[in-house]
Structure formats: C-alpha cells, structure tokens
Amino acid sequence: MTFVRTALAAALALAATPALAQTYSQTVFFGDSLTDAGYFRPLLPASVRPVTGQFTTNPGLVWAQVLADYYGTRADPNGNGQTGTNYAAGGARVGTNTTGALGPIPSLATQVNTYLTANGGRADGNALYTVWGGANDLFAITNAGANPTTTIAGAVGAQVGIVATLQNAGARYILVPTVPDLGITPAFRAQGATAQAQGTALTTSYNTALFGALASGGYRVIPVDTFNLLREVAANPSAFGFTNITGTACQPQITANSLTCNPTSYVSPDAPYTYLFADGVHPTTAAHEVVADYVVSLLEAPRQIAMLPNSAAMTGRARAEQVAAHAGKPVADGMRWWADVRGDFQRYGGGDVYDGVGPALTGGVDWSRGNLVYGAFAGFGRSQLDWGRRGGSFDQDEVSLGGFVGWYGDAAWVNAQVSYSQLGFDTERNVVLGRTERTHTGSADGSNLSVGVKGGWEFGDGALRHGPVLAVLAQQIDIDGFAESEPTLSTSLAYPDQTFDSLIGSAGWQVRYTINEHLQPYAQVTIDREFEDAPAEAFAQSQSMPGTLPYAVPGVAFDDKYATVRFGARTQLFGLDANLGASVTTNQGGGNHATLFATVGTGF
C-alpha cells in the first residue's frame, strides 16, 4: 500500500503542466449597435464618456467584449480615431452607408473594406470574425416604410457578399448571428400584437433568407441562433435571473436611448441584471453576458467532443503497454494465466481541457514453447472525465479482445500484439448562460484497432541488466457521429464522425536489478513521438437551425513529443508472480497521462 501511495503521488505531481495555447490570434467584429463597443464614444462629452457610449446599460460590457476576454483577445472599438478590432457602429445597415445624429455610420460592407485595406487585403486565417447585421435594415421597413422584399433581398445579398469577401481574403472562422426576434422587444410590444407579429415575421424572413443563401452558396459559417436563444430567455426569464422582459432598464420607459444610459438613469440599481432590455430594442449587461456565454458554448463544444479520440488513444496506449510487459522469458513450456488492473489518470491544459480517472482490467492466457510465448487477452475499462471550465463530463467504456506473441532470448527480446476495442461514450455537456446552466446529453459508439511491436536488448549478466528499448504502436480510432438531447433548443448541437490515426514511436533505455529471486525493481525511460497530427479542425452543426451547414472551429493540438517514465518492481504477491508500478508522461506541453498498475499471474 505504501508503494501505491508513493507511485500515485509521483504520477500526479508530474501531471501538472501548462495550459494549451491561445485559440484565436485575435477577434474582429463587424456589426451594428448589438456589437458596438464604443464607436461613438469620442463624439460624446468627455465628462460622460466613462459611463456612456455603448448601446446597453453602461458602463456594462457588450457580448463582444465578454467573448474577447474569454479568449484573451480584445474588442476595442475602431472608428472616430479609435484603432481597435471592433468595427461595429450603432445604426449600421449591412450594405448601405447612412448618417445619424452623431454623424456618418459605416455599413458592415464599409467596415470590412476598412479592415481589409488596413491589412493589405488579407484576413488573418487564425482570427475569429463576427458579421452581425440586418436589424437596422428591418427598422428601415418598420420605421421608414422601405419595401420589405427589396430591402431584405439587398441586405441578405450584401451580408453573403461580406462573408464571401472575408473567406476569399483568408478568413476561416466567421460567426454569423441571426437577427433577434424584434417581436419580443419592448418597442414592438408597446405597439401591440399586430406590430409584434410583424416584427417576428420580418425577422424570420430575414434569417431564413440569409442562412438559406449561405447554405446554397456553400459558405461555411458558425451560425449563432440568437433568435431562439432570446425567445427561450423571454419564455422563462426567472431561470436566467430576469424579473422584467417587457419594460426597459433605462428611463424613460421604452423611448430611452441606451447609448447614454448610465447608473443615473437606471430604473433601479440592479436593473442591468434584472431587466432583459436596456431600452426599446437593446439588451442589458446581463443579456449580453448570456449571448457571450452562448457563443462560447458554440465555439468550445466541437473542441470538447474532439477530445474523445485523444482519451481513447491514451487508454489504448496504457493497455498496450501492460500487454507488452506482462510476459518475460519463460522458465518452462506450458500454460500461464495473467491479469492486470490499472488506473489511468489524464489531465490536459491544467484541467481546463479535460481530466479524469478510470479503472481497467485486462487478462489473458499464454502458451510457452521454448523462447516463444503466444496467447490471447481481453479487457474492460471505464473512465470518468471532466471537461474544464464547468463544461460538463463524459464517460468512456471500452471492451477489448486481442492476441499476443513474443520471443525472449538471453539478451534480445521482441513482442507484438493486435487488438480490437469497442468504445462507448456518454457525454453531458454543460452550457453556462449567465446565471443559469443547462445540460445536453449524447451517446456515441466507436472502435480502436491497435497493432504494437516492442523490443529491446539487455547488457550485463549479473544482477544488473540494462539496455535499449524500441516500440511502435499504431491505433485507428473511429467514433460515430451523434446528436445531443433537446434538439429544438438553440444550444443543442450534432457532431459528425471522427477518425484519428495514431502512430506513436518510442525509443529509450531500461534497467533492472535483481535483489533476490522475489524482488526485482526496474525503470524505463523513453522519448516518444506521435507521428500523426490531430485533426486541425473540429466540427458541429446547429440542431435548432437544421438548414445550416456544419461549421468548423480550430481543433485541439496535443504535444506530439514527450517522454515516458515507467518504474516498478517484479515480486511475489500471495504466491503469485506480480508486477507493481506506475507509468507517467512528462515534458508534454498539453498535459499528462499517468497509469498505476498491478499485474499478477502464474502457471497452471
């Protein structure tokens, strides 16, 4: 028991590693007042700028600023002398430049042109972009009597053109939110049922036309279903901490202008967190937090699910190591049984990516003939792992069958194995939305076909033996696609099939010392290399927007060069041959995998 505690402490100590690198190089925003982070602030009186300038309950943040903060980037405004990466301007239409009370208002198309001109016509392929517009084009219909058909068609065409321009310039990750339902805003509620119905109908028409055109054009974007999200909040406001969804947090009611709203004009001190809307159409600080959390969930969910193959590869390697180590030079011809129990510990990104633990049992029967050992084995494992940052958890089950053959001489030895594992995953993905949380569940099957070869040479003929060791393990891991629960909710996603071909090569040195016939401590250190790259991107598809294409986000890159330390002792336990020890990866930039094991066996 003391040995187990010591080995566990060493494994966990080595498991602490730095977090993974930043996901996006920068965040760039094009849009209107829903995204504006202070475009007009320099034009306001200097005395009020610290508590005004954004279309929300100032000085609260808008969703773009919360999102940028999550990814360690910026969402500072660009315009009126400001040079940030948030080009959004309140009142902006998609393709038409306009003028407001504070001066010219650049359209989304102009904002994009400004960005590309400043960057030599190229869009950073590692950046995250947002193109959110359309609301002011709909206001041109409801407030100024513009023709609905031509106005929507023109705005949709312009927005699709913006996406095409960005993608042609090199952009790969573009968020395109839907226009929120105008019919549930205080401004439309105040006008009665007919105006509400018209607002909802116009919004639906715009969103349907936009995402239909994007899909038919083959433009892969990240759809953000704010239309249904805010309807879900309005349908159950208390769950999100809101007590009022019909009035406005800023005075005067309905007609307030959130650009200049500040604590002196709040309905009550807590209004930014109890009201859904700041003025007639703009969200409060708390509502913006809900939107930002929702966007984070869409961006992170595919990356969470993309971690399943890595987890399977790590437990597959641990199993292969135990199979390779279970046999040695036979003392006589005959049959022998063996059983191995192990605990696998995985920790990546300091726990922000995923971590967890699970037991596994593998056992088999060998036949010995001279220097040759061959046999069959079977195993079962179950791991329970958590995604970091309140992301939820997943369970991994695996059932394995395989065969083994080895040749053991006086100095040289080599063994090989092949196995097939049936995998099963049950996921519980948590979606944090402001002050509430919802969970989507899902299940997926998969398989792992593994082939491994390991060999070495020992120097010395006394108690001390040592020498080089080489190993190669190939794993083909396939995981079926699946859909999450509650598909009508804006946060529910579906995922395609995943395939990961792992090829790990190891080279190192091993040493063992025979104290007596019942105790032989040993150690092995290898330098390991994963020769296959993890998928560069991870994919998902919105279930609440079934006509949209699957979208991509950056995949999770795990360090492909690291070292493995394996140590333990061969001894006797209850009259059985036993091998007790631990194995742990180290100097692995993305995380660590540690294993504690106990193998027993005897002839019969």
Side-chain angles (χ1 to χ4, degrees):
M1 183 62 69
T2 300
F3 171 80
V4 173
R5 291 196 188 101
T6 302
L8 176 59
L12 294 180
L14 287 170
T17 57
L20 297 184
Q22 182 175 305
T23 306
Y24 300 101
S25 58
Q26 58 180 330
T27 44
V28 184
F29 302 90
F30 309 109
D32 52 29
S33 55
L34 292 173
T35 307
D36 185 341
Y39 180 86
F40 295 108
R41 183 173 289 119
L43 305 180
L44 299 175
S47 61
V48 300
R49 290 175 192 170
V51 291
T52 58
Q54 297 178 185
F55 293 85
T56 187
T57 42
N58 292 288
L61 303 179
V62 298
W63 76 276
Q65 294 163 312
V66 179
L67 177 70
D69 183 67
Y70 181 90
Y71 286 110
T73 58
R74 303 289 298 180
D76 297 332
N78 185 296
N80 293 312
Q82 302 170 105
T83 59
T85 58
N86 188 336
Y87 294 77
R93 294 181 61 176
V94 178
T96 304
N97 293 325
T98 57
T99 301
L102 293 176
I105 303 173
S107 67
L108 272 67
T110 297
Q111 296 169 24
V112 172
N113 288 336
T114 300
Y115 164 76
L116 292 176
T117 299
N119 290 276
R122 297 297 302 166
D124 180 359
N126 296 317
L128 176 65
Y129 298 86
T130 296
V131 178
W132 192 1
N136 290 304
D137 294 274
L138 298 183
F139 291 147
I141 298 170
T142 60
N143 298 342
N147 181 278
T149 302
T150 58
T151 301
I152 290 176
V156 166
Q159 193 161 355
V160 172
I162 288 170
V163 170
T165 296
L166 286 171
Q167 290 188 351
N168 290 336
R172 293 187 293 168
Y173 309 113
I174 304 176
L175 291 163
V176 179
T178 58
V179 176
D181 185 0
L182 299 182
I184 67 170
T185 63
F188 280 77
R189 289 180 185 272
Q191 298 176 58
T194 300
Q196 282 188 262
Q198 181 192 23
T200 298
L202 285 172
T203 308
T204 302
S205 296
Y206 188 91
N207 292 333
T208 301
L210 173 61
F211 286 93
L214 289 169
S216 62
Y219 297 109
R220 188 186 70 183
V221 301
I222 304 169
V224 183
D225 192 3
T226 51
F227 179 90
N228 280 314
L229 172 70
L230 293 179
R231 286 173 65 91
E232 291 161 13
V233 174
N236 189 17
S238 61
F240 296 84
F242 296 110
T243 59
N244 192 311
I245 64 170
T246 59
T248 61
C250 306
Q251 297 282 27
Q253 285 296 301
I254 314 303
T255 60
N257 186 341
S258 58
L259 179 67
T260 56
C261 177
N262 63 78
T264 65
S265 56
Y266 291 169
V267 171
S268 61
D270 63 351
Y273 299 97
T274 57
Y275 278 68
L276 182 59
F277 291 97
D279 59 16
V281 293
H282 296 105
T284 58
T285 298
H288 274 288
E289 290 176 357
V290 171
V291 172
D293 288 341
Y294 170 51
V295 174
V296 167
S297 77
L298 296 177
L299 295 171
E300 291 302 306
R303 291 163 54 83
Q304 290 175 274
I305 302 304
M307 296 167 198
L308 304 185
N310 186 76
S311 177
M314 291 300 97
T315 56
R317 185 192 181 199
R319 180 181 58 254
E321 281 289 326
Q322 294 309 104
V323 171
H326 85 272
K329 184 177 181 180
V331 295
D333 292 351
M335 296 178 64
R336 182 177 182 275
W337 67 267
W338 63 277
D340 173 81
V341 61
R342 70 177 198 272
D344 292 319
F345 303 81
Q346 299 188 59
R347 184 173 176 82
Y348 290 89
D352 283 344
V353 176
Y354 77 88
D355 66 352
V357 62
L361 176 65
T362 306
V365 177
D366 292 331
W367 289 265
S368 300
R369 296 292 185 271
N371 292 341
L372 186 67
V373 179
Y374 57 94
F377 62 89
F380 173 79
R382 180 175 180 83
S383 297
Q384 295 180 316
L385 305 110
D386 292 327
W387 288 302
R389 302 186 179 186
R390 297 169 61 188
S393 63
F394 65 95
D395 293 340
Q396 173 187 314
D397 294 334
E398 49 193 308
V399 178
S400 306
L401 292 174
F404 171 87
V405 61
W407 182 89
Y408 300 87
D410 291 333
W413 57 273
V414 63
N415 59 53
Q417 60 181 288
V418 60
S419 66
Y420 177 85
S421 299
Q422 182 67 41
L423 304 173
F425 296 93
D426 292 317
T427 65
E428 292 188 355
R429 185 176 65 88
N430 293 339
V431 181
V432 177
L433 297 171
R435 285 166 284 177
T436 193
E437 187 175 290
R438 63 174 58 154
T439 300
H440 291 290
T441 60
S443 297
D445 294 325
S447 62
N448 182 353
L449 178 62
S450 300
V451 178
V453 179
K454 189 172 186 178
W457 184 279
E458 287 189 322
F459 299 102
D461 55 6
L464 179 65
R465 303 290 296 269
H466 61 94
V469 60
L470 298 172
V472 175
L473 176 65
Q475 301 180 80
Q476 180 179 304
I477 298 170
D478 295 303
I479 299 176
D480 296 339
F482 68 98
E484 291 179 330
S485 60
E486 300 179 276
T488 60
L489 292 181
S490 58
T491 47
S492 184
L493 300 173
Y495 310 94
D497 296 345
Q498 297 186 75
T499 296
F500 176 46
D501 293 325
S502 172
L503 180 62
I504 301 175
S506 304
W509 205 265
Q510 62 178 3
V511 59
R512 61 187 176 94
Y513 187 82
T514 302
I515 296 177
N516 55 53
E517 61 178 344
H518 296 308
L519 183 59
Q520 184 184 88
Y522 64 86
Q524 173 185 288
V525 178
T526 59
I527 303 300
D528 309 297
R529 170 69 184 273
E530 171 61 76
F531 290 97
E532 299 287 348
D533 293 329
E537 295 182 320
F539 297 87
Q541 187 168 16
S542 171
Q543 294 205 82
S544 65
M545 300 176 67
T548 56
L549 299 175
Y551 66 89
V553 297
V556 180
F558 294 93
D559 196 352
D560 58 6
K561 296 179 182 178
Y562 50 94
T564 301
V565 179
R566 183 181 175 90
F567 56 92
R570 296 184 183 275
T571 184
Q572 291 283 310
L573 187 65
F574 305 116
L576 302 174
D577 297 329
N579 179 10
L580 308 177
S583 174
V584 61
T585 62
T586 184
N587 200 36
Q588 189 174 7
N592 286 92
H593 176 212
T595 296
L596 301 181
F597 58 84
T599 307
V600 297
T602 190
F604 65 93

